[in-house]
Amino acid sequence: METITGASRLILVLGDITEQDTDAIVNAANPSLLGGGGVDGAIHRKGGEEILEECKIIRKTSYPDGLPTGKAVITTGGKLKAKNVIHTVGPIWNGGDKGEPELLAQAYRNSLSLAMKTGLKTISFPSISTGAYGYPIEKASRVAIKAVVEFLEKNKGIEEVRFVLHSEQDMRTYEEALKEILDFQ
Ligand code: APR
């Protein structure tokens, strides 16, 4: 499913984020930036050592106590098709009244503004926090799409944003979310 928001294309893709050829792909990282499972594991496995080396430098120079939830940093894409990986940390679901929605929106907004600052034109997101971090995807998808649509309406420069979903079910959830958000426009 595809739509135009502001001056940007917003596309829902069923697939593997590590296969996307956008300028950047976004990693659903944890504060350590030292890898993990899911998206994090796939990106480090396919992207290679270079990515981890740059993550270690970022930890040492900028975030000795770990990357705070909602913040974003950028590294090389290593062996991936994408030139860069933007690492962000989504919130762990804790019932929904501990600031999770705003922290999730920040993860998307900060990733987009970092991509813009770096002069990148196309970016792919996974469904942040909806795996190991347990954020119910029906809720996360609305927060994610709303945050991205609002950002793209206010900021020109990003040409294409992809949400890369890993299952038919997740795809359908994001399609419903996108229709809902656009109907309210
Ligand atoms: N491409 C696209 N989406 C994927 C892929 C992939 N290759 N692999 C998994 N996903 C989907 C999952 O199905 C889920 O919907 O990405 C979403 C996010 O899942 P996680 O990767 O578990 O990320 P998250 O829920 O944010 O948890 C982050 O998990 O891997 C660790 O180090 C990471 O501690 C951190 C935590």
Side-chain angles (χ1 to χ4, degrees), residues 6-155:
S8 316
R9 281 186 309 283
L10 200 162
I11 308 175
L12 303 183
V13 171
L14 177 62
D16 179 342
I17 194 154
T18 65
E19 292 302 317
Q20 303 304 311
D21 57 355
T22 44
D23 292 343
I25 64 170
V26 176
N27 181 22
N30 64 61
S32 78
L33 291 178
L34 301 178
V39 166
D40 202 0
I43 287 176
H44 280 283
R45 211 173 20 258
K46 283 206 185 159
E49 277 298 302
E50 242 185 304
I51 299 176
L52 185 61
E53 289 317 305
E54 289 193 12
C55 285
K56 286 177 183 170
I57 292 166
I58 291 170
R59 276 295 310 277
K60 213 175 274 148
T61 55
S62 314
Y63 292 103
D65 300 331
L67 183 66
T69 300
K71 297 285 183 211
V73 294
I74 190 166
T75 67
T76 176
K79 300 194 186 79
L80 293 166
K81 293 174 187 164
K83 278 197 306 253
N84 295 96
V85 176
I86 290 176
H87 306 261
T88 191
V89 179
I92 296 172
W93 179 251
N94 190 7
D97 56 359
K98 307 275 187 321
E100 297 97 317
E102 179 47 31
L103 284 166
L104 184 61
Q106 279 173 25
Y108 284 93
R109 279 197 293 266
N110 286 330
S111 297
L112 284 167
S113 54
L114 182 52
M116 270 186 73
K117 260 188 279 203
T118 315
L120 306 181
K121 299 290 179 203
T122 59
I123 182 171
S124 294
F125 284 101
S127 176
I128 299 170
S129 284
T130 62
Y133 278 3
Y135 206 123
I137 193 164
E138 293 68 26
K139 297 179 189 298
S141 53
R142 272 78 179 165
V143 172
I145 289 189
K146 188 165 176 290
V148 169
V149 165
E150 286 174 352
F151 184 96
L152 295 178
E153 284 172 344
K154 286 194 201 107
N155 302 277

